[in-house]
Amino acid sequence: MRLEFVPKHKAVIAAIDIQSLKQGQTDVVPAVVLHLKCTLANSTLALLDKKLLPFLFQKGNGAATQQALEGVPVVSDMPQLTDIAVAVGALHWAGEQTGATLKIYQGVTGDQDITLSDCTVRKVKVEPKEGGAVEWDLQVYTSDVDQETIGALGVLKSLTRDIELIPAEPVSQKRIDEPEKLTPEAALKKSVKTGAAVV
């Protein structure tokens, strides 16, 4: 699972749960869980699994197909729920995503924007809707908050805000025994820096 809600999307901050996280024997730090709800196009199901869209949605039949209007973008070319989607309803998705960043936008100047880093995205639920939309329901947890941020978050309950959910950058690891591959120019620069003789 690699959720990425970029660019901005509208989301309802349905609940805010202030918690405390114990570190060591005596230290306690604040933590917060935000419960977010947003409605997005069904193409976002690919963030969970590419097979979900054809599993839950299908192309509409002739009578139910809506004509495209000039200047209005089509939400989806697969707007009709499958029989499986109707029978199953909301899907709870197992797993967590760590290291994410949540940005909550407020106002025009950006002075009041809130950025939460090192977040864990969990308890993801998606509910397909007729017409090509999906209701996303998820929790974002972080202990990387201070009292001022918690105070700013506390007044947002039940409000709609623009958000961005940015996943952590993937870390590429190379094998220890893997030799370093250099271009001739890079090898020359490296040998000059280390003082090694160039053959």
Side-chain angles (χ1 to χ4, degrees):
M1 174 174 75
R2 181 176 164 81
L3 298 184
E4 181 174 8
F5 297 161
V6 176
K8 300 175 188 177
H9 293 288
K10 296 269 184 217
V12 176
I13 303 170
I16 300 168
D17 183 14
I18 310 299
Q19 300 180 348
S20 57
L21 177 66
K22 191 172 181 181
Q23 292 184 335
Q25 295 294 325
T26 57
D27 292 341
V28 176
V29 296
V32 66
V33 178
L34 299 179
H35 186 165
L36 303 177
K37 294 184 177 188
C38 53
T39 302
L40 304 174
N42 61 10
S43 59
T44 56
L45 288 169
L47 297 170
L48 297 175
D49 192 303
K50 292 179 181 178
K51 297 174 185 171
L52 272 180
L53 180 59
F55 182 72
L56 298 173
F57 289 92
Q58 61 190 353
K59 291 187 182 292
N61 57 33
T65 303
Q66 183 179 0
Q67 295 294 322
L69 300 174
E70 187 176 329
V72 178
V74 176
V75 175
S76 174
D77 62 347
M78 298 177 73
Q80 191 172 344
L81 293 177
T82 62
D83 292 339
I84 295 171
V86 173
V88 171
L91 296 173
H92 295 266
W93 200 261
E96 294 183 341
Q97 174 180 326
T98 58
T101 300
L102 176 67
K103 291 186 178 181
I104 302 171
Y105 293 92
Q106 302 193 99
V108 179
T109 62
D111 295 340
Q112 303 294 318
D113 294 349
I114 300 170
T115 300
L116 302 175
S117 56
D118 197 21
C119 297
T120 300
V121 182
R122 61 189 191 188
K123 297 191 177 179
V124 175
K125 181 176 77 171
V126 290
E127 186 173 358
K129 296 292 184 181
E130 193 72 40
V134 175
E135 287 188 3
W136 287 80
D137 193 329
L138 52 95
Q139 290 184 2
V140 177
Y141 167 87
T142 184
S143 60
D144 188 22
V145 289
D146 54 23
Q147 292 179 359
E148 183 179 344
T149 304
I150 287 178
L153 290 170
V155 298
L156 297 180
K157 183 177 178 182
S158 302
L159 298 181
T160 301
R161 290 289 183 264
D162 284 327
I163 66 156
E164 282 185 326
L165 183 63
I166 305 161
E169 290 297 322
V171 178
S172 61
Q173 296 181 349
K174 67 176 191 176
R175 296 171 44 120
I176 295 174
D177 59 347
E178 184 178 324
E180 186 178 9
K181 295 180 182 177
L182 299 173
T183 63
E185 294 82 12
L188 179 61
K189 286 181 182 177
K190 186 175 181 181
S191 66
V192 171
K193 286 181 182 176
T194 59
V198 179
V199 181

